[in-house]
Amino acid sequence: MGSGTTLIECKRLGRNGIGIDIDGKVLEAARSSIESEPNPFGATVMTFRGGDSRTFRLSDVVPEGGISLAVLHPPYHDIIRFNGIEGDLSGIGSLDDFIEALGQVFENTIGVLRPGGHMALVIGDKFSRGGQWYPVGFLAMQRALACGFSLKSIVVKNFTETKGKRGAE
Ligand SMILES: C[S@@+](CC[C@H](N)C(=O)[O-])C[C@H]1O[C@@H](n2cnc3c(N)ncnc32)[C@H](O)[C@@H]1O
């Protein structure tokens, strides 16, 4: 859930939403911006702190029938260390371990998606100082396919003013 962008958009669009993050402090910080966002359609939005998305019992908080859309925005492996909390995916170890941990999140998520529901994964690739590129997004998609998801599309977000490989925008 991070800073709460998805729940703010839920309120703007009139969709009910549930936000989960392992970092309770992040959730507290997000709460005021979510609460101060107007709610013209009367959407219900809820936040759950301290939830590890791999193991959090989603069925306890998801309404019967499941959800139509899951938006996952995990760390991009270790490019930003989020908090050092145990279970934080940015501190998980190797890239293989990270992809496997994401697989656990996907499996947990698929259990509460309603038939015909969708999962959107927002993720970036990374590269090392030596110039090696790690296709984190493709590896994650492959892992999602192994969970039984089918791929609908890949949307490439083109940032300007963000530095990529060799300082290129
Ligand atoms: C890229 S940020 C999300 C940003 C968010 N979309 C926003 O609008 O601010 C990744 C978030 O994943 C959380 N996180 C890391 N490991 C997690 C885990 N195992 N379960 C749940 N959340 C986790 C971090 O605390 C961090 O807030």
Side-chain angles (χ1 to χ4, degrees), residues 87-169:
D88 168 18
L89 296 175
S90 64
I92 207 91
S94 72
L95 181 55
D96 283 349
D97 291 343
F98 172 75
I99 296 297
E100 193 42 45
L102 272 189
Q104 291 168 14
V105 180
F106 300 154
E107 276 155 17
N108 200 18
T109 303
I110 211 165
V112 293
L113 272 186
R114 68 169 59 141
H118 294 81
M119 177 177 82
L121 173 68
V122 182
I123 199 156
D125 293 331
K126 66 170 207 168
F127 58 93
S128 66
R129 283 188 187 283
Q132 184 177 345
W133 193 275
Y134 297 91
V136 181
F138 287 116
L139 293 170
M141 275 188 278
Q142 194 174 30
R143 187 64 185 81
L145 294 174
C147 290
F149 284 99
S150 57
L151 183 61
K152 290 286 184 178
S153 71
I154 300 173
V155 178
V156 178
K157 185 174 178 183
N158 185 21
F159 284 97
T160 54
E161 297 171 14
T162 300
K163 293 296 174 202
K165 199 172 177 183
R166 295 191 174 159
E169 277 194 355

Side-chain angles (χ1 to χ4, degrees), residues 11-67:
K11 288 178 91 173
R12 291 180 182 172
L13 295 169
R15 300 182 73 134
N16 300 326
I18 298 168
I20 293 164
D21 200 290
I22 203 163
D23 187 344
K25 282 193 195 143
V26 159
L27 275 180
E28 284 310 317
R31 199 160 277 163
S32 64
S33 47
I34 296 166
E35 279 169 7
S36 61
E37 181 66 29
N39 192 8
F41 304 104
T44 302
V45 298
M46 298 179 281
T47 58
F48 292 95
R49 63 186 323 198
D52 184 332
S53 298
R54 295 172 295 176
T55 52
F56 189 83
R57 285 171 56 102
L58 296 168
S59 55
D60 286 351
V61 299
V62 161
E64 217 178 304
I67 56 171

